Amino acid sequence: MERPEPIDETLDPADWEEYRALGHRMVDDMLEYLRTVRERPVWRPVPDDVAASFREPLPTTPSAAPEVYEAFREKVLPYPTGNIHPRFWGWVMGTGTPGAMFAEMLAAGMNLNQGGGAQSGALVERQVIDWCKEMLGFPAAASGLLVSGGSMANLVGMTVARNSRAGYDLRSEGVDPGRRRLVAYASREVHSSVPKAMELLGLGRKALRELPVLADDTIDLAALGSAIAADRAAGHEPFLVVGCAGTVSTGALDPLDGLADLCAAEGLWFHVDGAFGALAALAPELRPRLKGMERADSLAFDLHKWMSLPYEIGCALVKDPDLHRRAFSLTPDYLEHTPRGIGGGELWFSDYGVELSRGFRALKAWMALKEHGAARFGRIVLRNVEQARLLEALVKAEPALELLAPVSLNIVCFRYRGGLADEVALDALNRELLLRLHEGGVAAPSYATVRGRYALRACITNHRTRDEDLVVFCRETVRLGRGLEAEGAGGDPSTP
Ligand SMILES: *Cc1c(COP(=O)(O)O)cnc(C)c1O
């Protein structure tokens, strides 16, 4: 039998000097990794033997820390999705920054629990929330909470909406099936986190009316008005409209001012999902396009997408702090806030959201805003929007490519067309083309279905992208498309 470990063992290193050297190596390696990101393929698959190694059984005995780090370097580090690469434009992803990487280390070192209490971290988070309000032009009196991302921020905003508009003590009673059904509205382009929130809130996905959109993918206000009237006539209780500030497929901006007017007239809660699009407000040139967002009762957005902070960080803002608190505050006596001491302090973030124990994600936002200043983030947002215009122009100028949706903000949906006319063949060819783009490692767009057609979709929320990257992307798309067309691959996407 092995000797039992001494009873005074801790998780701190036995030799701090050795540990320091290891830490310095990690910093050096990671800075080099970031510095040279452009030189590597955007993505490569995890090899089978590497994948198999993740099935090793639970380690029950210690390994030397440098060995553990080596396993990370060999098996984890080389195989990311590629979202930090300059030519990654898939889904809506963020690229991160070296400075925020350092901030994450500092935050983990302090290991603050941001649920509440008298601590500097609460002041940092409050300041970040205040800065967010200022950056997006949201009223200064609003309350806010940093959360894991847009999905959670939508859930927070929609929870406040439900609890404050139900007309009874829904928190105690639960959703009462004997009462009028609470119904919500959004365009059919709304992000899946909104119907998911409807499920989690016990309201059901069917209680979200997903309305038709106009040719530019924005919500049809007339259809919205009719749907509300029809629901009222049917004895339902309309309570919420969700506006999209940047739809996920094409980046369309709903008419937020019009939605705010309608919600005011109808007495409905106005929530805006601005996961990435809200950040367009950082650029003075783009801010007017978000007019009306400042009138929202609640606003959800991400800082890990267009603000380039590493995962995870999003934010929920609620115009009426009292309603926000009343939707979530539940303080048993073991969490009683005290007049002095550690249990003091006026900021108890756990009163404003779902989570009690919370990480110090505020630090990376606070340090990044100080290091770069909000105006630089605004310039990068604007450049990404201009790059989307550039990509649009490149697509239009290339006869083999075809634009599939109007470019509203930072998203371009297009396809390889070549000499093909058959829609089914085009869908199949472009589906295969996307996979080859990914596997080739040159560029990583994702896909969207635009009016029934399969589109390659580039969403540019990337501070590392240069204009020439988009030229390379178009050239590669045409090259691969021509190859596939010559192979006759439009017919059967499974044959390479
Ligand atoms: C990404 C996204 C979300 C969800 O945000 P997460 O940070 O991924 O949870 C919601 N709405 C839109 C429009 C998005 O792009």
Side-chain angles (χ1 to χ4, degrees):
M1 246 195 65
E2 262 184 69
R3 211 156 48 87
E5 299 284 350
I7 54 168
D8 62 349
E9 80 176 324
T10 77
L11 302 177
D12 285 332
D15 182 336
W16 286 92
E17 285 311 311
E18 252 177 43
Y19 228 66
R20 188 192 309 275
L22 177 64
H24 288 167
R25 238 189 88 206
M26 289 178 181
V27 168
D28 284 343
D29 290 351
M30 285 313 288
L31 285 176
E32 196 56 13
Y33 179 78
L34 294 178
R35 190 183 71 79
T36 57
V37 59
R38 177 175 280 284
E39 296 159 22
R40 291 188 294 275
V42 179
W43 178 82
R44 51 189 150 155
V46 183
D48 289 343
D49 60 321
V50 174
S53 74
F54 288 99
R55 302 229 173 246
E56 284 166 4
L58 171 73
T60 54
T61 54
S63 301
E67 267 172 45
V68 177
Y69 175 55
E70 214 37 60
F72 162 80
R73 279 200 354 131
E74 268 175 37
K75 295 173 180 166
V76 181
L77 188 59
Y79 310 108
T81 50
N83 53 291
I84 72 169
H85 195 282
R87 285 189 301 278
F88 187 99
W89 307 295
W91 299 275
V92 190
M93 295 260 209
T95 26
T97 69
M101 174 180 81
F102 289 156
E104 287 283 68
M105 187 196 73
L106 304 178
M110 283 186 85
N111 192 29
L112 295 185
N113 184 333
Q114 287 280 86
Q119 56 170 323
S120 57
L123 303 173
V124 172
E125 181 155 347
R126 182 178 64 188
Q127 186 162 40
V128 166
I129 291 164
D130 284 344
W131 287 345
C132 285
K133 290 182 255 176
E134 197 178 332
M135 287 187 324
L136 303 188
F138 208 71
S143 53
L145 184 75
L146 296 180
V147 292
S148 55
S151 304
M152 187 57 106
N154 281 332
L155 180 64
V156 167
M158 290 168 66
T159 304
V160 185
R162 182 198 64 172
N163 293 2
S164 53
R165 291 300 163 101
Y168 63 100
D169 184 3
L170 191 146
R171 288 190 65 187
S172 302
E173 304 300 326
V175 175
D176 180 353
R179 291 174 188 259
R180 278 144 51 103
R181 184 169 202 183
L182 292 165
V183 290
Y185 306 84
S187 90
R188 66 169 161 75
E189 294 296 312
V190 76
H191 187 267
S192 58
S193 57
V194 170
K196 202 186 259 189
M198 291 294 284
E199 294 176 13
L200 293 171
L201 290 171
L203 302 174
R205 228 167 47 217
K206 283 188 189 158
L208 177 68
R209 314 295 193 220
E210 300 198 16
L211 298 162
V213 291
L214 305 176
D216 61 358
D217 283 343
T218 62
I219 193 167
D220 181 342
L221 283 174
L224 173 58
S226 315
I228 293 168
D231 279 323
R232 288 219 161 99
H236 301 312
E237 178 79 41
F239 80 107
L240 163 71
V241 173
V242 178
C244 299
T247 58
V248 66
S249 289
T250 62
L253 299 167
D254 277 345
L256 302 178
D257 223 22
L259 288 175
D261 287 341
L262 184 141
C263 287
E266 297 278 354
L268 306 182
W269 185 278
F270 179 33
H271 174 80
V272 172
D273 176 7
F276 63 96
L279 279 298
L282 282 165
E285 297 84 347
L286 300 172
R287 188 182 273 211
R289 300 190 48 203
L290 293 161
K291 188 163 177 305
M293 186 168 78
E294 73 289 350
R295 295 170 65 195
D297 294 296
S298 51
L299 170 64
F301 56 97
D302 271 312
L303 299 170
H304 57 211
K305 289 176 176 172
W306 226 349
M307 269 286 289
S308 302
L309 295 177
Y311 295 101
E312 307 155 334
I313 183 167
C315 183
L317 297 176
V318 178
K319 183 168 286 167
D320 182 332
D322 189 45
L323 292 181
H324 189 179
R325 191 170 193 287
R326 278 198 273 146
F328 288 106
S329 173
L330 200 158
T331 309
D333 51 6
Y334 51 84
L335 294 175
E336 270 295 302
H337 312 169
T338 58
R340 298 200 317 279
I342 300 171
E346 48 196 277
L347 285 164
W348 286 74
F349 290 105
S350 49
D351 287 341
Y352 292 89
V354 180
E355 294 154 319
L356 175 58
S357 295
R358 304 171 62 248
F360 194 16
R361 50 172 67 98
L363 186 66
K364 59 194 169 194
W366 189 78
M367 291 182 74
L369 279 163
K370 279 176 170 286
E371 182 184 345
H372 298 293
R376 175 176 289 167
F377 288 100
R379 287 193 293 275
I380 287 167
V381 162
L382 182 64
R383 187 176 72 210
N384 283 166
V385 169
E386 288 167 353
Q387 286 171 330
R389 294 260 171 252
L390 169 66
L391 179 56
E392 177 189 24
L394 291 168
V395 167
K396 282 182 170 166
E398 169 53 66
L401 302 178
E402 178 184 19
L403 195 70
L404 287 182
V407 178
S408 166
L409 201 61
N410 62 327
I411 298 180
V412 183
C413 291
F414 70 103
R415 66 179 172 183
Y416 176 84
R417 179 156 199 122
L420 294 172
D422 179 59
E423 289 294 345
V424 175
L426 276 168
D427 284 355
L429 182 143
N430 281 280
R431 215 174 250 124
E432 175 62 20
L433 175 45
L434 179 78
L435 303 181
R436 293 208 187 176
L437 275 165
H438 288 181
E439 284 164 358
V442 174
S446 57
Y447 52 89
T449 308
V450 181
R451 280 165 211 88
R453 300 280 54 110
Y454 185 91
L456 304 173
R457 170 183 164 286
C459 172
I460 311 176
T461 46
N462 190 324
H463 68 87
R464 299 197 169 103
T465 298
R466 298 178 191 150
D467 291 359
E468 68 250 34
D469 289 317
L470 299 160
V471 176
V472 169
F473 172 37
C474 277
R475 198 189 303 139
E476 185 66 5
T477 305
V478 171
R479 189 184 73 79
L480 290 170
R482 290 227 163 92
L484 283 166
E485 195 180 351
E487 287 170 32
D492 179 2
S494 63
T495 33

